[in-house]
Amino acid sequence: MPVMNRRIIFKTVLAAVLASTIALPAAALDRRVTIVNDTNYTIMQFYGSNKGTDSWEEDILGRDVLRPGQSVRIDFDDGTGYCKFDFKAIFDDDDVLVARGINVCKIGTYTYN
């Protein structure tokens, strides 16, 4: 085999190996985020919806609440492959805070303060 062909094959194989080890599939990314309530109010409801939906879905806290100083670890992996989520927190004083475009694949903690 000519030297030029071997170089082309080597470069092709090397590129394939690098691509498979460097580029993580979206499904393999960690979407767990710790939500911290660093306010003086209780979070009564919390929603996290991926950027591909127009709905807030269900209250992630369910029957629980997130009191001042408490935190909860939430896995936002909903099977869609999305990394960007919108968060909505409803507090006991009826304040509603919405945060848009949070990249749950890149952050480990989100704090309300």
Side-chain angles (χ1 to χ4, degrees):
M1 185 181 308
V3 173
M4 190 60 137
N5 284 344
R6 280 188 266 165
R7 285 185 184 159
I8 291 171
I9 291 171
F10 176 75
K11 287 180 182 179
T12 303
V13 170
L14 181 62
V17 169
L18 286 175
S20 68
T21 58
I22 293 173
L24 289 174
L29 297 172
D30 187 358
R31 291 174 175 78
R32 292 173 294 178
V33 176
T34 300
I35 304 299
V36 179
N37 183 2
D38 194 23
T39 72
N40 293 322
Y41 302 95
T42 299
I43 297 176
M44 303 302 291
Q45 297 173 356
F46 181 80
Y47 302 88
S49 296
N50 72 53
K51 294 295 287 179
T53 185
D54 293 328
S55 170
W56 282 112
E57 308 297 329
E58 71 274 349
D59 173 15
I60 294 172
L61 296 176
R63 296 163 92 165
D64 293 326
V65 296
L66 198 59
R67 299 191 192 294
Q70 289 185 327
S71 63
V72 63
R73 187 129 170 107
I74 298 172
D75 188 352
F76 287 94
D77 189 354
D78 61 0
T80 62
Y82 278 90
C83 284
K84 293 215 175 160
F85 279 71
D86 295 336
F87 294 169
K88 178 175 151 181
I90 301 175
F91 292 83
D92 61 356
D93 66 349
D94 293 327
D95 273 354
V96 177
L97 293 179
V98 175
R100 300 203 181 272
I102 306 300
N103 190 331
V104 299
C105 295
K106 289 190 176 181
I107 66 165
T109 303
Y110 188 86
T111 303
Y112 285 94
N113 49 25

